[in-house]
Amino acid sequence: MAEILSSLRSLMAAHSPPLDALVVPSEDYHQSEYVSARDTRREFVSGFTGSAGLALITKDEARLWTDGRYFLQAEQQLSNEWTLMRMAEDPAVDVWMAENLPEEAAVGVNPWCISADTAHRWESAFAKKKQKLVQTATDIVDEIWKNRPADEANPVVVQPLEFTGCSVAEKLHDLRGKLKASKARGIIITTLDQVAWLFNIRGSDVPYCPVVHAFALVTLNSAFLYVDRRKVSSEVNSYMEENAIEVRDYTAVSSDVALLASDQLDSTSTINRKPKAETVRNGTTEAEGAGVDLVWVDSSSCSYALYSKLNLEKVFQQQSPLALAKALKNPVELDGLRKSHIRDGAAVVQYLVWLDKQMQDIYGASGYFLEGETDKKKKDLRTTKLTEVTVSDKLESFRASKEHFRGLSFPTISSVGPNAAIIHYGPQPETCAEVDPDKIYLFDSGAQYLDGTTDITRTVHFGVPSTHEKACYTAVLKGHIGLGNARFPNGTNGHTLDILARIPLWKSGLDYRHGTGHGIGSFLFVHEGPHLISFRPSARNVPIQASMTVTDVPEEIEWLNTYHSRCSEILAPYLNENERSWLSKATEPVTVA
């Protein structure tokens, strides 16, 4: 790690102008939460593998900012050269830079890897000391990353209408209607899930996320997809032509955004496009586009590099209209999500049945249904060893046997004992813990199916949980039920609802350092916006609405028994006799002693 920092500092000094600091974000050119292996620059320079964080390298310091989900992980992974900065506790990165870097300091960053909003916020913070944000022509990290993974040509795949429930033509028509209503003649679409959703395509460019590295530009008359052409088969190309979408090279998006800004992009299209229609209003003929001269851009997700190509006087700056459209699931998507969760739920039950038996047979555990002491002699004489990773692999095998399975939706968090307290713990074969009947076990996992994306967390114990563990589990369950039963007026946002899940924990002086719930995609991202249930201010931005899907992560007896009864009824047809017997016992009515 010291060698990497030394090499970066040498390049910073040789840069024109010389850089006083270098920012290495977690994001790729699309501001993605999860990125491909070749885009894990922040991980490469810092050794920290969490999905969120930012590295700052100065002439004599190296600091890493991350949120509460990753404090414990970062403490374990960062070397002595690095200082951990805890978001919401320590000064924000822009505040720290403005206060601690010298007058007129030059701060370098790859402008493709930060959003326009972030860049503007930093520039505002820098103004007092005349510091400047420098857009580097190339990514400095890439210059020293000798074994950087290659860019793979993974194929673009068309997602069938039977799963999307809405054609590309319908989506483009709806989008263009929103553009006209906002007096915009075009829009820049940069997030990978929005591009995939709009054009009904999927890919495998990012682990666990069925998306393709691509941009899209859409005008009132034309549509363009920017992608590595090696990924586009003749069949997919024909599909694009049928939907009046022109495929262009991935790197052409930069020059084409400049053409869009000057209203010249349409004239470059080679696909038969509709001419600008003329309509008769009050007896006179007007061009359809009259008075429509803005470019819609979501500055929270559009890179600073692309935003810099625009004429700021002609920008309509607002959240992408596709964000909410994608979040409001249509009937076909909702049906697919229900079916995929049922299949996924069956896989989880099969896993628990298997794990329960293994814990008894190998480790002498009393089992899932009995709170008894472990047979120490049997545990000590075991010849087979199960680890966080091997049991996680078994869970994946159960999922893989289900219809429409296409992979996991995120790396499985399989965690024993203290590891369960690490919010996004990632077990590794070389260092992971062995399962233990005398310790709590948590697994947070999900899968990608053609008809839906899943995310399920369960916490179990196969021996005797402590009084504290029982109290914590019960408080989380009560919060989960409280939020699940909530009735609220239209316009209520996730920030308002978040407290309902925390009240039972707060009563015991407890809390958790992450959000309570997030949107979930239809064979897309497992974390989907724009809505969420969280203490974070961004949860105020969008009300929770009907047909949105949302997770609920954290004894009311009637609710619990009703839930168990429904689980047994719905999942039983997907299980064998032994698994049905286990599930029936696991969902027996709970009574008050």
Side-chain angles (χ1 to χ4, degrees), residues 445-473:
S445 62
Q448 294 286 4
Y449 301 93
L450 285 174
D451 54 351
T453 302
T454 68
D455 181 359
I456 296 177
T457 303
R458 291 293 181 269
T459 305
V460 295
H461 204 298
F462 296 98
V464 183
S466 68
T467 301
H468 179 65
E469 287 171 337
K470 290 180 182 179
C472 292
Y473 185 97

Short mmCIF file of all heavy atoms in Angstrom, two decimals, residues 445-473:
data_model
loop_
_atom_site.label_atom_id
_atom_site.label_comp_id
_atom_site.label_asym_id
_atom_site.label_seq_id
_atom_site.Cartn_x
_atom_site.Cartn_y
_atom_site.Cartn_z
N SER A 445 -28.91 -12.09 2.03
CA SER A 445 -28.62 -12.60 0.70
C SER A 445 -29.78 -12.33 -0.25
O SER A 445 -30.89 -11.99 0.18
CB SER A 445 -28.35 -14.11 0.76
OG SER A 445 -29.51 -14.79 1.23
N GLY A 446 -29.53 -12.51 -1.53
CA GLY A 446 -30.58 -12.33 -2.52
C GLY A 446 -30.16 -12.88 -3.86
O GLY A 446 -29.01 -13.30 -4.04
N ALA A 447 -31.09 -12.88 -4.78
CA ALA A 447 -30.82 -13.47 -6.09
C ALA A 447 -31.43 -12.64 -7.20
O ALA A 447 -32.32 -11.81 -6.98
CB ALA A 447 -31.36 -14.90 -6.15
N GLN A 448 -30.90 -12.86 -8.39
CA GLN A 448 -31.44 -12.26 -9.60
C GLN A 448 -32.18 -13.34 -10.39
O GLN A 448 -31.61 -14.38 -10.72
CB GLN A 448 -30.31 -11.68 -10.47
CG GLN A 448 -29.57 -10.50 -9.88
CD GLN A 448 -30.37 -9.21 -9.91
OE1 GLN A 448 -31.54 -9.20 -10.31
NE2 GLN A 448 -29.74 -8.12 -9.50
N TYR A 449 -33.45 -13.10 -10.64
CA TYR A 449 -34.26 -13.96 -11.50
C TYR A 449 -34.76 -13.12 -12.67
O TYR A 449 -34.88 -11.89 -12.54
CB TYR A 449 -35.45 -14.53 -10.72
CG TYR A 449 -35.08 -15.35 -9.51
CD1 TYR A 449 -35.00 -14.76 -8.25
CD2 TYR A 449 -34.82 -16.70 -9.61
CE1 TYR A 449 -34.65 -15.50 -7.12
CE2 TYR A 449 -34.47 -17.47 -8.49
CZ TYR A 449 -34.40 -16.85 -7.25
OH TYR A 449 -34.06 -17.59 -6.14
N LEU A 450 -35.06 -13.75 -13.77
CA LEU A 450 -35.53 -13.00 -14.93
C LEU A 450 -36.77 -12.17 -14.60
O LEU A 450 -37.00 -11.13 -15.23
CB LEU A 450 -35.85 -13.95 -16.09
CG LEU A 450 -34.65 -14.55 -16.83
CD1 LEU A 450 -35.13 -15.57 -17.85
CD2 LEU A 450 -33.85 -13.45 -17.53
N ASP A 451 -37.56 -12.62 -13.64
CA ASP A 451 -38.80 -11.91 -13.31
C ASP A 451 -38.72 -11.09 -12.03
O ASP A 451 -39.72 -10.53 -11.60
CB ASP A 451 -39.98 -12.89 -13.24
CG ASP A 451 -39.73 -14.06 -12.30
OD1 ASP A 451 -38.59 -14.21 -11.84
OD2 ASP A 451 -40.67 -14.83 -12.05
N GLY A 452 -37.54 -11.01 -11.41
CA GLY A 452 -37.47 -10.19 -10.21
C GLY A 452 -36.15 -10.33 -9.48
O GLY A 452 -35.37 -11.26 -9.71
N THR A 453 -35.91 -9.39 -8.57
CA THR A 453 -34.70 -9.35 -7.74
C THR A 453 -35.12 -9.52 -6.29
O THR A 453 -36.15 -8.98 -5.87
CB THR A 453 -33.98 -8.00 -7.94
OG1 THR A 453 -33.67 -7.84 -9.32
CG2 THR A 453 -32.71 -7.93 -7.11
N THR A 454 -34.34 -10.27 -5.51
CA THR A 454 -34.71 -10.52 -4.12
C THR A 454 -33.61 -10.10 -3.15
O THR A 454 -32.44 -9.99 -3.52
CB THR A 454 -35.03 -12.01 -3.88
OG1 THR A 454 -33.83 -12.79 -4.01
CG2 THR A 454 -36.06 -12.52 -4.87
N ASP A 455 -34.01 -9.90 -1.89
CA ASP A 455 -33.09 -9.50 -0.82
C ASP A 455 -33.71 -9.96 0.49
O ASP A 455 -34.75 -9.43 0.90
CB ASP A 455 -32.92 -7.97 -0.85
CG ASP A 455 -31.95 -7.46 0.22
OD1 ASP A 455 -31.43 -8.28 0.99
OD2 ASP A 455 -31.72 -6.24 0.27
N ILE A 456 -33.12 -10.96 1.12
CA ILE A 456 -33.69 -11.56 2.33
C ILE A 456 -32.63 -11.63 3.42
O ILE A 456 -31.51 -12.07 3.17
CB ILE A 456 -34.23 -12.98 2.04
CG1 ILE A 456 -35.39 -12.93 1.04
CG2 ILE A 456 -34.69 -13.65 3.33
CD1 ILE A 456 -35.92 -14.30 0.67
N THR A 457 -32.99 -11.23 4.63
CA THR A 457 -32.10 -11.35 5.79
C THR A 457 -32.78 -12.19 6.86
O THR A 457 -33.95 -11.98 7.17
CB THR A 457 -31.75 -9.97 6.37
OG1 THR A 457 -31.17 -9.16 5.36
CG2 THR A 457 -30.78 -10.11 7.53
N ARG A 458 -32.05 -13.14 7.42
CA ARG A 458 -32.57 -13.94 8.54
C ARG A 458 -31.46 -14.11 9.58
O ARG A 458 -30.29 -14.25 9.24
CB ARG A 458 -33.04 -15.31 8.07
CG ARG A 458 -34.30 -15.27 7.20
CD ARG A 458 -35.51 -14.81 7.99
NE ARG A 458 -36.73 -14.79 7.18
CZ ARG A 458 -37.16 -13.74 6.48
NH1 ARG A 458 -36.44 -12.62 6.49
NH2 ARG A 458 -38.27 -13.79 5.79
N THR A 459 -31.86 -14.12 10.85
CA THR A 459 -30.94 -14.33 11.96
C THR A 459 -31.44 -15.52 12.77
O THR A 459 -32.61 -15.55 13.18
CB THR A 459 -30.87 -13.08 12.86
OG1 THR A 459 -30.53 -11.95 12.06
CG2 THR A 459 -29.83 -13.27 13.95
N VAL A 460 -30.56 -16.52 12.99
CA VAL A 460 -30.98 -17.75 13.67
C VAL A 460 -29.95 -18.15 14.72
O VAL A 460 -28.83 -17.63 14.76
CB VAL A 460 -31.16 -18.91 12.66
CG1 VAL A 460 -32.29 -18.61 11.68
CG2 VAL A 460 -29.86 -19.17 11.89
N HIS A 461 -30.38 -19.07 15.58
CA HIS A 461 -29.49 -19.62 16.60
C HIS A 461 -29.86 -21.08 16.78
O HIS A 461 -31.04 -21.42 16.88
CB HIS A 461 -29.65 -18.86 17.92
CG HIS A 461 -28.46 -18.94 18.82
ND1 HIS A 461 -28.00 -20.13 19.35
CD2 HIS A 461 -27.61 -17.97 19.30
CE1 HIS A 461 -26.94 -19.90 20.10
NE2 HIS A 461 -26.67 -18.59 20.09
N PHE A 462 -28.87 -21.97 16.82
CA PHE A 462 -29.13 -23.40 16.93
C PHE A 462 -28.81 -23.94 18.31
O PHE A 462 -28.84 -25.15 18.53
CB PHE A 462 -28.32 -24.15 15.87
CG PHE A 462 -28.72 -23.80 14.46
CD1 PHE A 462 -27.99 -22.85 13.74
CD2 PHE A 462 -29.84 -24.36 13.87
CE1 PHE A 462 -28.37 -22.51 12.45
CE2 PHE A 462 -30.23 -24.03 12.58
CZ PHE A 462 -29.49 -23.09 11.87
N GLY A 463 -28.52 -23.03 19.25
CA GLY A 463 -28.25 -23.43 20.62
C GLY A 463 -29.05 -22.60 21.59
O GLY A 463 -30.28 -22.49 21.48
N VAL A 464 -28.36 -21.96 22.53
CA VAL A 464 -29.03 -21.15 23.55
C VAL A 464 -28.61 -19.70 23.40
O VAL A 464 -27.51 -19.32 23.81
CB VAL A 464 -28.67 -21.66 24.97
CG1 VAL A 464 -29.43 -20.85 26.02
CG2 VAL A 464 -28.98 -23.14 25.11
N PRO A 465 -29.45 -18.85 22.79
CA PRO A 465 -29.10 -17.43 22.65
C PRO A 465 -29.10 -16.76 24.02
O PRO A 465 -29.82 -17.15 24.94
CB PRO A 465 -30.20 -16.89 21.75
CG PRO A 465 -31.35 -17.83 21.94
CD PRO A 465 -30.76 -19.17 22.19
N SER A 466 -28.28 -15.72 24.13
CA SER A 466 -28.20 -14.98 25.40
C SER A 466 -29.44 -14.12 25.58
O SER A 466 -30.20 -13.86 24.64
CB SER A 466 -26.96 -14.10 25.40
OG SER A 466 -27.09 -13.04 24.46
N THR A 467 -29.64 -13.68 26.80
CA THR A 467 -30.77 -12.78 27.10
C THR A 467 -30.68 -11.50 26.27
O THR A 467 -31.69 -11.00 25.76
CB THR A 467 -30.78 -12.44 28.60
OG1 THR A 467 -30.88 -13.65 29.35
CG2 THR A 467 -31.94 -11.52 28.93
N HIS A 468 -29.46 -10.98 26.11
CA HIS A 468 -29.26 -9.76 25.32
C HIS A 468 -29.60 -10.00 23.85
O HIS A 468 -30.25 -9.17 23.22
CB HIS A 468 -27.82 -9.28 25.46
CG HIS A 468 -27.51 -8.04 24.66
ND1 HIS A 468 -28.09 -6.82 24.91
CD2 HIS A 468 -26.69 -7.86 23.58
CE1 HIS A 468 -27.64 -5.93 24.05
NE2 HIS A 468 -26.79 -6.54 23.23
N GLU A 469 -29.18 -11.14 23.32
CA GLU A 469 -29.49 -11.46 21.92
C GLU A 469 -31.00 -11.57 21.70
O GLU A 469 -31.54 -11.09 20.71
CB GLU A 469 -28.80 -12.76 21.52
CG GLU A 469 -27.29 -12.62 21.34
CD GLU A 469 -26.60 -13.96 21.17
OE1 GLU A 469 -27.16 -15.00 21.59
OE2 GLU A 469 -25.48 -13.97 20.61
N LYS A 470 -31.69 -12.20 22.65
CA LYS A 470 -33.14 -12.31 22.55
C LYS A 470 -33.81 -10.94 22.57
O LYS A 470 -34.74 -10.66 21.81
CB LYS A 470 -33.68 -13.16 23.69
CG LYS A 470 -33.34 -14.63 23.63
CD LYS A 470 -33.94 -15.35 24.85
CE LYS A 470 -33.59 -16.82 24.87
NZ LYS A 470 -34.14 -17.51 26.06
N ALA A 471 -33.33 -10.09 23.47
CA ALA A 471 -33.92 -8.75 23.60
C ALA A 471 -33.70 -7.94 22.33
O ALA A 471 -34.63 -7.26 21.86
CB ALA A 471 -33.31 -8.03 24.81
N CYS A 472 -32.50 -8.01 21.75
CA CYS A 472 -32.21 -7.28 20.52
C CYS A 472 -33.06 -7.81 19.37
O CYS A 472 -33.63 -7.04 18.59
CB CYS A 472 -30.73 -7.38 20.17
SG CYS A 472 -29.63 -6.53 21.32
N TYR A 473 -33.12 -9.11 19.24
CA TYR A 473 -33.91 -9.74 18.17
C TYR A 473 -35.37 -9.32 18.26
O TYR A 473 -36.01 -8.97 17.26
CB TYR A 473 -33.77 -11.26 18.26
CG TYR A 473 -34.43 -12.02 17.15
CD1 TYR A 473 -33.70 -12.46 16.04
CD2 TYR A 473 -35.79 -12.32 17.18
CE1 TYR A 473 -34.30 -13.16 15.01
CE2 TYR A 473 -36.41 -13.01 16.15
CZ TYR A 473 -35.66 -13.44 15.08
OH TYR A 473 -36.27 -14.13 14.06
#
